[in-house]
Amino acid sequence: MTLTERLDRPTQVRYMLGMVVDTIGSGMYLPVSLLFFHHTTGLPVTRVGVIVSTAAVLGLVGSPLAGLLVDRYGARTVLVGVYGVRAVGFAVYPLVHSQVPMVLAVTLVALGDASFPPAMQAFVAEITGGAGRDRLIAAQRSLRNAGLGIGGLIVGTALGAGSDSAYRAVVLGAGAAFLVAGVLIRTIPVSRTPGRARTPGGGFRTVFRNRPFLTLTAVNIPTAFGYTVLSVSLPVYLTQKLGAPDSLAGVLYAVNTVGIAALQIPVTRVLARRRRTRSAALGGAVFSLSFLGFAALGAVPVGGTLLAGVFTATVLFTLGELLHGAAASALAASAAPEPTRGRHLAVYQLSWSVPTALAPAVLTALLDLSATALWLVLAAGVACSALAMLRLETRLPAQAVHPTAPARPVPPGERRPARPRRESGQFPP
């Protein structure tokens, strides 16, 4: 299979089905990740939380390791292996009844979780290119939000009885979902690059010499902090600072999730001919507006006006994510040189995973200091990232900035070739 903008219909179906199964498994487990071990081991929830957080930090080593393996063995092989590691980890979860085995099992899964994003991004870059890469990432983001919601509904139904067998069924079901997703991804053909085993040496020095890519990675860090607010700081801000009901945070999270699931594909289609840097920068600007909106809520009394302001700011946040998410992911995947794509994307992934790990401590500390300061710092950081993205545009490869190659002028007397017909099952232009 050669690198094309669009995938044939059977490949589309297998890829999309794999993503749905994957995210349903994640959606089944994420809501009960702490409660499961509290229920099965009897450890306090606070201690379980410390163990899970520690494992997540230890698991960060999985990202650079995955990058090295991708460059040597190919993204599909590594991605299938990551699914296998996660499936094995979930299979042993029901056997954990004390603290030490729990640390080992959770760390194993954390390694798989940290290895997943760079392997998946590299895999998408292997099987499609151009504007098709943006569309595939958009479809993946849309399906991920839908799958997480379906998984949450399944786990809510399964745990209604509150029995040990229900908790075991949820964990084993999530592990089985990862196993099935791995099998589906394994069936997708990829282009064979001659001499893959002779991957360029030098470890990560090649990445560190790529100044534009490192700048792209650094620019993403403030925006990555911004992505965490719906789950980290906004619930605390609404309930403790504004006196809103506890249920409001869940409603706002649902608004964001449903919005991404329903609108990511059409928004990406609209942006298909725009420069990825400018789409991502526009998303950052809208993020900044949403944070300013959240900051202004501190001066609004509790009531209908407050609710309207909260929903307006959340809609702006969702719009910012729609504009930024797929464009930024496709930009990073396209800016990474093919021979060392795995290592480049592993470094880029740290701009997401490190802020995600630090956000609970950093954002809650800012919130305790001053709620208004929290939102203003986030707004300023994301705005600076957006401006830096625009300045970086000329230093990045042209094929990374442009989803579609700029049209070549047609010399006088030469006829422009006819546009090929779109075959059935292809992504729409």
Side-chain angles (χ1 to χ4, degrees), residues 83-150:
Y83 275 125
V85 168
R86 297 163 94 187
V88 169
F90 278 94
V92 302
Y93 272 11
L95 306 178
V96 172
H97 299 290
S98 59
Q99 183 166 314
V100 174
M102 176 187 166
V103 171
L104 297 176
V106 173
T107 302
L108 177 65
V109 172
L111 284 169
D113 291 343
S115 303
F116 177 79
M120 174 54 72
Q121 285 183 309
F123 180 68
V124 169
E126 280 191 3
I127 62 176
T128 189
R133 185 171 294 165
D134 300 69
R135 288 191 287 268
L136 190 60
I137 292 173
Q140 178 180 314
R141 286 172 55 81
S142 178
L143 288 174
R144 177 170 179 78
N145 281 270
L148 289 173
I150 294 171

Side-chain angles (χ1 to χ4, degrees), residues 211-225 277 280-281 284 324 328 331 348 351-352 355 381-393 395-396:
R211 296 294 180 84
F213 192 88
L214 287 181
T215 304
L216 178 66
T217 300
V219 161
N220 189 61
I221 292 174
T223 307
F225 270 105
T277 44
H324 177 273
L331 177 65
Y348 179 77
S351 71
W352 289 100
V382 175
C384 290
S385 290
L387 292 174
M389 181 73 74
L390 295 177
R391 292 177 61 87
L392 184 62
E393 183 176 282
R395 299 173 57 196
L396 294 171

Side-chain angles (χ1 to χ4, degrees), residues 35-306:
L35 294 177
F36 172 79
F37 286 110
H38 170 66
H39 188 83
T40 57
T41 66
L43 293 172
V45 173
T46 52
R47 185 177 301 178
V48 172
V50 170
I51 293 173
V52 171
S53 296
T54 303
V57 173
L58 294 175
L60 291 178
V61 71
S63 182
L65 177 61
L68 290 169
L69 294 176
V70 164
D71 289 339
R72 183 166 185 83
Y73 299 107
R76 185 184 64 178
T77 300
V78 177
L79 185 58
V80 172
V82 167
Y83 275 125
V85 168
R86 297 163 94 187
V88 169
F90 278 94
V92 302
Y93 272 11
L95 306 178
V96 172
H97 299 290
S98 59
Q99 183 166 314
V100 174
M102 176 187 166
V103 171
L104 297 176
V106 173
T107 302
L108 177 65
V109 172
L111 284 169
D113 291 343
S115 303
F116 177 79
M120 174 54 72
Q121 285 183 309
F123 180 68
V124 169
E126 280 191 3
I127 62 176
T128 189
R133 185 171 294 165
D134 300 69
R135 288 191 287 268
L136 190 60
I137 292 173
Q140 178 180 314
R141 286 172 55 81
S142 178
L143 288 174
R144 177 170 179 78
N145 281 270
L148 289 173
I150 294 171
L153 292 175
I154 293 173
V155 72
T157 302
L159 296 182
S163 63
D164 290 347
S165 59
Y167 276 97
R168 285 194 294 269
V170 166
V171 170
L172 293 176
F178 291 135
L179 190 61
V180 172
V183 171
L184 289 169
I185 294 298
R186 181 64 182 84
T187 66
I188 295 177
V190 296
S191 57
R192 302 291 181 181
T193 302
R196 163 72 74 174
R198 297 189 297 274
T199 181
F204 284 87
R205 289 196 299 272
T206 303
V207 183
F208 297 145
R209 288 195 295 265
N210 189 341
R211 296 294 180 84
F213 192 88
L214 287 181
T215 304
L216 178 66
T217 300
V219 161
N220 189 61
I221 292 174
T223 307
F225 270 105
Y227 267 81
T228 67
V229 300
L230 283 187
S231 58
V232 176
S233 56
L234 186 59
V236 180
Y237 176 63
L238 293 175
T239 56
Q240 296 188 9
K241 303 295 183 179
L242 302 183
D246 293 349
S247 59
L248 183 58
V251 174
L252 297 178
Y253 189 83
V255 168
N256 173 261
T257 302
V258 173
I260 299 299
L263 298 176
Q264 184 65 80
I265 293 176
V267 168
T268 301
R269 186 180 299 141
V270 171
L271 299 175
R273 296 189 179 277
R274 290 181 59 89
R275 300 178 188 182
R276 290 172 176 139
T277 44
R278 299 188 183 185
S279 297
L282 179 59
V286 177
F287 270 136
S288 186
L289 287 177
S290 74
F291 297 147
L292 292 176
F294 284 125
L297 295 177
V300 177
V302 177
T305 304
L306 175 64

Side-chain angles (χ1 to χ4, degrees), residues 313-335:
T314 302
V315 169
L316 282 174
F317 179 93
T318 303
L319 178 59
E321 189 173 346
L322 288 166
L323 294 168
H324 177 273
S329 295
L331 177 65
S334 302

